Amino acid sequence: VILTANYNDRQKVQFENMMEIKLGFITAPSDTVHSYKTNSDLFRITSKLGLQAFDRWYYTLSAQFWTQFFPNYKTNSNDLVSNFLSPATLKVSLGMDYKISKDKYNLSVYCGPLTYKHVSLRDDDIVNPSSFNVKPGHTSANLFGSEITANVDWKIKDNISYVTKFNYFTTYDKVIANWENTVNFHLNRYLS
């Protein structure tokens, strides 16, 4: 499920909001402890407020929050890898956004040299908190750095579209990168 609410006064201000919910389950016959596992589990809210600087460039304040819904366990074990709000990540960034909007595609490249990322773990039972950049014995981490985000939404045909999202965050000591690619086939207005 993807919900959007956007404001664009065609003059100076753009305000973009998106909520994404992704859930997918698979049976896990090789896992003797769990009969099914999640293969896609995401709850993410993204907001960007932009004031036009010039032409296609916007001064932008960006915020993003994400977590998951269901617990995730190691295979053949009850060791908890992640859970709802474990981790919960909030990222706030200030920078510039370059945008192009055409009939067949939309492009947004955001550079945020001032970025703050907060990661918290609600559960104390997480086996490896360092995989979320949280030190063992702690329940949260504060990371400062910069980010680059590129989003492309390309309408290949009337019923086929391609969406790619690339995010690169660095604390200048370590890099955290993520790249999502989605191809949508719209069968009808109810099913894709």
Side-chain angles (χ1 to χ4, degrees):
V1 176
I2 298 174
L3 302 174
T4 59
N6 298 325
Y7 172 79
N8 183 353
D9 70 356
R10 305 255 183 237
Q11 299 293 318
K12 295 279 184 188
V13 179
Q14 287 190 353
F15 188 38
E16 300 173 356
N17 301 283
M18 178 184 293
M19 182 176 75
E20 299 168 89
I21 298 171
K22 297 179 182 181
L23 287 173
F25 299 94
I26 58 170
T27 58
S30 61
D31 191 339
T32 58
V33 179
H34 310 283
S35 56
Y36 70 92
K37 295 181 97 171
T38 56
N39 65 348
S40 179
D41 189 357
L42 176 68
F43 174 72
R44 179 169 51 200
I45 297 174
T46 305
S47 288
K48 287 196 312 188
L49 176 62
L51 299 173
Q52 188 173 27
F54 50 89
D55 199 21
R56 294 181 173 155
W57 289 91
Y58 292 82
Y59 300 114
T60 302
L61 175 65
S62 173
Q64 189 175 65
F65 170 81
W66 68 93
T67 188
Q68 64 189 55
F69 290 105
F70 294 99
N72 186 15
Y73 297 96
K74 281 187 171 182
T75 302
N76 294 318
S77 170
N78 279 323
D79 292 341
L80 190 62
V81 174
S82 58
N83 200 357
F84 179 68
L85 297 178
S86 291
T89 305
L90 173 67
K91 183 172 61 175
V92 179
S93 180
L94 186 62
M96 295 286 288
D97 198 4
Y98 177 76
K99 296 182 179 184
I100 297 176
S101 184
K102 300 286 185 183
D103 289 339
K104 293 283 187 182
Y105 71 92
N106 293 314
L107 168 71
S108 170
V109 178
Y110 173 76
C111 299
L114 301 172
T115 303
Y116 167 71
K117 186 174 183 180
H118 177 79
V119 181
S120 65
L121 301 174
R122 180 185 60 118
D123 275 320
D124 295 331
D125 301 334
I126 301 296
V127 175
N128 187 9
S130 62
S131 64
F132 306 112
N133 297 298
V134 176
K135 293 179 182 173
H138 292 80
T139 58
S140 65
N142 296 302
L143 305 170
F144 296 93
S146 62
E147 77 168 326
I148 296 173
T149 302
N151 296 326
V152 176
D153 190 346
W154 176 29
K155 187 175 182 181
I156 299 169
K157 289 189 167 197
D158 286 341
N159 64 336
I160 301 172
S161 63
Y162 171 64
V163 178
T164 183
K165 298 177 183 181
F166 176 75
N167 181 264
Y168 176 91
F169 173 78
T170 181
T171 62
Y172 306 109
D173 185 33
K174 64 174 79 174
V175 171
I176 302 167
N178 184 39
W179 189 15
E180 298 176 26
N181 292 284
T182 306
V183 177
N184 291 317
F185 297 95
H186 302 278
L187 300 177
N188 56 44
R189 67 184 210 180
Y190 303 109
L191 186 62
S192 66

